[in-house]
Amino acid sequence: MNDHEDRDRKGGVSRRGFLGATALAGAAGAGLTSGLLGFGTAEARTRGRNAGLDHHVPPGELDTYYGFWSGGHSGEIRILGIPSQRELMRIPVFNHESATGWGMTNESKRVLNHSPHTNGDTHHVHLSYENGTYDGKYAFTNDKLNTRVARIRLDIMKPDKVTEIPNVAAIHGINPQRWPKTEYLFCSGEMIIPLPNDGRHLDEPEHYWTLMTALDAETMEVKWQVWVDGNMDNLVTDYTGKYLGATCYNSDRGVTLAEMMGPERDWAVFFNVPAIEQAVAEGNYTTIGDSPVPVVDGRGAAEGGSPYTLYVPVPRSPHGLNSSPDKQYVIAAGKLSPTVTIMEWAKIDDWFAGKLGDPRDTVLAEPEIGLGPLHTTFDGRGNAYTSVFLDSQVVKWNIADALRAARGEQVNYIRQKLDIHYQIGHIMASMAETVEADGKWLVALNKFSKDRFIPVGPLRPENEQLIDISGEEMRLVHDGPAFPEPHDVVMVRADLVRPARVWSRDDPFFADAAEQARDDGVDLERDNKVIYNGNKVRVYMTSLAPNFGLTEFRVKQGSEVTVTVTNLDRIEDVAHGFALVNHGVNMEISPQQTASITFVANKPGVHWYYCSWFCHALHMEMSGRMLVEAA
Ligand code: CUK
Ligand code: CUA
């Protein structure tokens, strides 16, 4: 029996049965009434019948979705169960973290490339794809603060690669290729800088630029970059694997707010991946400064684009850019304009094939939504949901009706405006970034909570609100306070994610420690040994509740000590920790994991180490002494 059969048996069945019945009843009722009586009445009449989805997950039952949250300037990723909104796990990525030792263990330092930075700003999180839906392998996130991207392995739920992006400043948008599978991870540089940024052009903004970057999603190496006009904000890929696009809010490349607000129109820029690959293959590129990365010149906004890029003018300061799950549309949110711009991927293909005369020919409609539209998500039933910051609302609208209205038909494409609390940024519906968008749950990620929770001081939590979108009418069902910051989220059907239950002994995550042990003639699963090598000391020990394999080790003052602990427990959920008093040393060692940490023993005397992860009735007794001889 696999995890998910197990899960269905334990908790899913009764709820799933209940969901199916009510969702059907709601849809049928709505279909009947809305045709006959118009929108407002339909809403009123379905409210009684459509009890909606049950978001309450009783004790002992399991959630049906994984929510992967980007934690903004906390620098981490979080996993929430949906619909309960219980926070299940935090995944430190760019931040350093006390409980697990992320940023302090040798394994995490390797992943972080020994970066001096201890913080980050994860704006977006997306998962790897196969054929337009999640393959369960990786999550990706950006670090706007220190211009990096990271990949998280979804089996162990830890980052395994971090890449610093050259030639740009502040990676903002990221999106993986969706079709046929994620070969590239794309990321957009937001801030414009001199190229190269080596001090030669300081106060000459005409020399400031930014680039789109493509990484190989398997190696996480940078493959190529594309030089663009303007700056770049959010980015999205299509469902053919051929195109991606990004919004630009500073098309004049200004450096002050007033300059950024100058142009009446900015644009969305689209990239032709096969054409860029061909240019790279033919050597039709340049490089910048010391970076060997091929940079293809995709500037040319004044002419509508280049062989690699298309610049579609849209109202000033567009923000979100989202791909509809029917694979057809790409929708830019207006931010400063009350509209969204609906473009068609097929027309972008037509433009690159030379079939269109004007970049605006790719635009189908520009419906008015509300004040401050930021991001759009989808239910897979033809409706779009746009977050509207200034109005603090989620606006549900129908794409087909918006297109009919644009053709002059008298039709109200707005389905409902739901107040949220308060000032919504991102918005996301379950599975909405895939062809399997299922229209069940939606989260509104709100920048302010104001009066929604008891006060906790001048810094208040932000507010994640869960909304049931399974019926005709959106229903707000839960408020969830969030520490900075609930930036973005994807909600993924639980059966698509298959986390490991214990570590595998040959995991590459701790391959360096295993290799060092081999060099030292140490069997990690058996030996408890101290290797002295000049001023370097390597301490190997096992852990098996409630014992460390070594209850003492002796070093000279000033030694650089590496403690490598291998957790022999095979029982799920029995993690140990290695914490050394007064040395800032603490790390997690989960079942069957090897973890290592290096520090300098610079204080003579007796220093206790103890297990920091509760593991046994004798957990407190699971300890030992480091004896440091004065130099
Ligand atoms: S995006 Cu990052 S600041 Cu995710 Cu709405 Cu604007
Ligand atoms: Cu081992 Cu607590």
Side-chain angles (χ1 to χ4, degrees), residues 81-102:
I82 299 294
S84 72
Q85 275 188 292
R86 298 179 292 201
E87 185 179 283
L88 305 178
M89 186 49 64
R90 292 182 159 201
I91 306 176
V93 182
F94 302 108
N95 56 319
H96 288 194
E97 203 277 324
S98 176
T100 57
W102 187 259

Side-chain angles (χ1 to χ4, degrees), residues 256-278:
T256 63
L257 179 61
E259 285 166 10
M260 293 180 196
M261 296 292 89
E264 260 309 298
R265 301 208 131 195
D266 291 306
W267 57 63
V269 54
F270 292 92
F271 298 81
N272 182 333
V273 174
I276 296 161
E277 286 174 325
Q278 195 186 338

Side-chain angles (χ1 to χ4, degrees), residues 70 121-124 142 144 172-173 190 233-234 319-320 335 374-375 387 425-426 447 485 487-488:
S70 54
D121 190 4
T122 57
H123 279 222
H124 302 113
N142 69 305
K144 173 166 168 170
H172 190 204
E190 181 178 349
D233 192 359
N234 282 285
H319 186 65
K335 191 165 78 180
L374 290 185
H375 296 276
S387 57
H426 272 274
K447 302 303 180 187
E485 113 183 295
H487 195 107
D488 194 11

Side-chain angles (χ1 to χ4, degrees), residues 305-585:
S306 70
Y308 321 110
T309 49
L310 156 65
Y311 293 80
V312 179
V314 298
R316 176 205 289 165
S317 285
H319 186 65
L321 196 62
N322 296 93
S323 239
S324 63
D326 60 9
K327 309 178 185 178
Q328 288 188 63
Y329 308 112
V330 51
I331 298 175
K335 191 165 78 180
L336 299 189
S337 159
T339 57
V340 296
T341 302
I342 310 174
M343 294 158 281
E344 195 175 6
W345 287 114
K347 292 217 187 282
I348 288 160
D349 195 54
D350 286 347
W351 192 85
F352 282 107
K355 295 185 197 157
L356 303 181
D358 185 324
R360 283 286 297 179
D361 293 346
T362 58
V363 175
L364 302 182
E366 228 147 44
E368 209 164 292
I369 300 295
L371 290 183
L374 290 185
H375 296 276
T376 299
T377 191
F378 307 93
D379 62 10
R381 301 188 295 269
N383 299 307
Y385 301 76
T386 299
S387 57
V388 178
F389 180 82
L390 295 172
D391 285 341
S392 275
Q393 286 181 327
V394 172
V395 178
K396 176 179 176 181
W397 54 281
N398 183 272
I399 302 171
D401 283 355
L403 297 179
R404 286 166 62 202
R407 290 192 294 263
E409 289 181 46
Q410 287 299 322
V411 19
N412 182 8
Y413 51 84
I414 301 285
R415 290 290 184 269
Q416 185 190 354
K417 294 190 172 190
L418 178 73
D419 288 342
I420 61 87
H421 317 86
Y422 301 89
Q423 263 68 42
I424 182 172
H426 272 274
I427 185 171
M428 189 60 74
S430 44
M431 295 294 290
E433 295 286 297
T434 75
V435 293
E436 299 187 293
D438 61 14
K440 291 198 172 142
W441 299 108
L442 177 144
V443 278
L445 301 179
N446 308 327
K447 302 303 180 187
F448 298 89
S449 63
K450 298 183 188 175
D451 54 0
R452 301 294 279 194
F453 307 110
I454 52 175
V456 288
L459 178 65
R460 309 222 175 152
E462 297 172 45
N463 190 11
E464 307 165 341
Q465 290 186 304
L466 186 71
I467 295 162
D468 171 3
I469 56 167
S470 63
E472 281 300 295
E473 189 189 355
M474 295 184 277
R475 280 189 325 128
L476 174 61
V477 298
H478 191 257
D479 274 15
F483 188 69
E485 113 183 295
H487 195 107
D488 194 11
V489 56
V490 286
M491 287 183 285
V492 179
R493 249 178 27 234
D495 64 287
L496 296 174
V497 183
R498 294 183 163 74
R501 301 189 148 208
V502 300
W503 284 79
S504 152
R505 285 298 310 147
D506 56 4
D507 199 294
F509 190 77
F510 48 76
D512 286 359
E515 198 186 317
Q516 181 66 61
R518 263 194 304 278
D519 290 352
D520 285 337
V522 165
D523 179 344
L524 285 173
E525 289 162 66
R526 203 153 286 151
D527 295 341
N528 293 288
K529 254 192 204 169
V530 184
I531 308 282
Y532 296 94
N533 184 1
N535 148 63
K536 290 192 184 355
V537 180
R538 290 188 288 278
V539 178
Y540 293 96
M541 69 175 90
T542 56
S543 66
L544 188 64
N547 292 294
F548 283 121
L550 285 177
T551 52
E552 60 173 80
F553 62 89
R554 188 178 284 260
V555 301
K556 286 204 172 62
Q557 182 184 5
S559 300
E560 184 197 280
V561 181
T562 299
V563 174
T564 303
V565 184
T566 297
N567 185 350
L568 299 183
D569 274 297
R570 287 170 191 281
I571 304 166
E572 286 175 30
D573 208 4
V574 181
H576 300 288
F578 179 87
L580 177 63
V581 173
N582 293 337
H583 283 73
V585 164

Side-chain angles (χ1 to χ4, degrees), residues 283-306:
N284 201 355
Y285 62 79
T286 115
T287 59
I288 295 167
D290 300 335
S291 162
V293 172
V295 178
V296 173
D297 192 347
R299 291 173 296 174
E303 299 80 47
S306 70

